[in-house]
Amino acid sequence: NTKVNDAVFDQVSLGEVDSKGFYNNNYLLVDYANSKNNEERISSYGRVPFDLNLSSKRFGEFFINDSIDYYSKATLRSMPFLSPYIPELDSIRGFIDIDLSLSGPASSIMRNGSIEMNNSRIYTMLINNPLVNVDGKADLKENKMNILYLNGASIKYPLQNVDNIKVNGDIDFSSFFEPKYNLLVNSINKKNIYVNA
């Protein structure tokens, strides 16, 4: 059993982490590993081929040729795992639900799942005004995330409820920290587009 306050993974603040599991035959078997940070919740469980043998020269490393089998679910109000890694992205605020599974050899992990965001705002370094009313949904199958829909608005207040930007396409997460983008951004209502740079 483990409890950690103010937990941080790389550049991502996880808040309070509570977990339970055991180690057997070169596998870390996680009954649950949950984090709570303000309104954000992440829950996970699964099996990780991880070297925790104290006498091993590879202590703390994955067994590369063995398979991971791990599941995670998140209810978030931001995307802290994106903002630190994309220089042009300041932050995303809204209602975000994520389901993710990781499977296969640690050297070539297969990612599957889905993400949905509602009533969100995206703040970037490229323009001063945020993109608002952002709603979207995407499915992740075998490392390829297909955007089912992603709509939002770049508007000048007090104009409300105008969706004038639509994004289509996919993102390849085969190399997770260096994804390949194939995106098309459309303006579906040019009349009310507003950009303050």
Side-chain angles (χ1 to χ4, degrees):
N1 295 346
T2 304
K3 288 191 177 182
V4 180
N5 293 321
D6 300 321
V8 176
F9 178 77
D10 197 41
Q11 300 181 57
V12 179
S13 175
L14 296 174
E16 181 182 306
V17 174
D18 185 17
S19 67
K20 180 183 177 184
F22 61 97
Y23 188 71
N24 189 25
N25 293 330
N26 296 333
Y27 289 105
L28 179 61
L29 303 166
V30 181
D31 291 337
Y32 63 84
N34 302 329
S35 72
K36 179 172 62 174
N37 191 16
N38 296 322
E39 295 181 70
E40 301 186 329
R41 305 282 185 271
I42 301 173
S43 59
S44 66
Y45 65 93
R47 182 186 75 172
V48 182
F50 198 62
D51 193 345
L52 286 179
N53 299 299
L54 294 176
S55 61
S56 173
K57 294 180 179 179
R58 296 177 40 92
F59 179 79
E61 296 182 20
F62 284 110
F63 291 107
I64 297 296
N65 296 321
D66 214 333
S67 291
I68 188 171
D69 187 22
Y70 206 81
Y71 302 87
S72 182
K73 185 177 179 72
T75 301
L76 307 171
R77 297 293 176 264
S78 66
M79 288 196 187
F81 50 87
L82 283 183
S83 302
Y85 302 101
I86 302 176
E88 296 82 7
L89 179 64
D90 179 67
S91 64
I92 297 176
R93 301 276 184 251
F95 298 90
I96 301 146
D97 292 306
I98 298 173
D99 282 304
L100 178 65
S101 72
L102 307 174
S103 61
S107 58
S108 58
I109 294 174
M110 196 64 68
R111 298 161 186 88
N112 292 285
S114 64
I115 182 170
E116 186 169 358
M117 59 191 307
N118 294 291
N119 195 23
S120 301
R121 290 173 174 247
I122 300 175
Y123 298 84
T124 80
M125 303 296 191
L126 303 176
I127 57 176
N128 293 338
N129 59 298
L131 303 177
V132 298
N133 302 332
V134 178
D135 295 316
K137 187 172 184 179
D139 285 336
L140 180 62
K141 292 182 181 178
E142 298 182 351
N143 291 332
K144 191 169 183 178
M145 188 170 76
N146 179 42
I147 296 173
L148 302 176
Y149 66 89
L150 182 58
N151 304 322
S154 185
I155 57 176
K156 187 172 184 177
Y157 290 102
L159 194 64
Q160 295 291 331
N161 300 323
V162 174
D163 283 343
N164 52 24
I165 295 177
K166 181 177 182 180
V167 178
N168 295 316
D170 56 71
I171 304 173
D172 187 343
F173 285 105
S174 297
S175 178
F176 188 75
F177 290 106
E178 295 178 1
K180 295 177 182 174
Y181 298 92
N182 178 27
L183 302 176
L184 177 63
V185 180
N186 294 313
S187 170
I188 57 176
N189 183 348
K190 295 180 175 67
K191 181 178 178 182
N192 293 313
I193 282 282
Y194 172 76
V195 175
N196 180 8

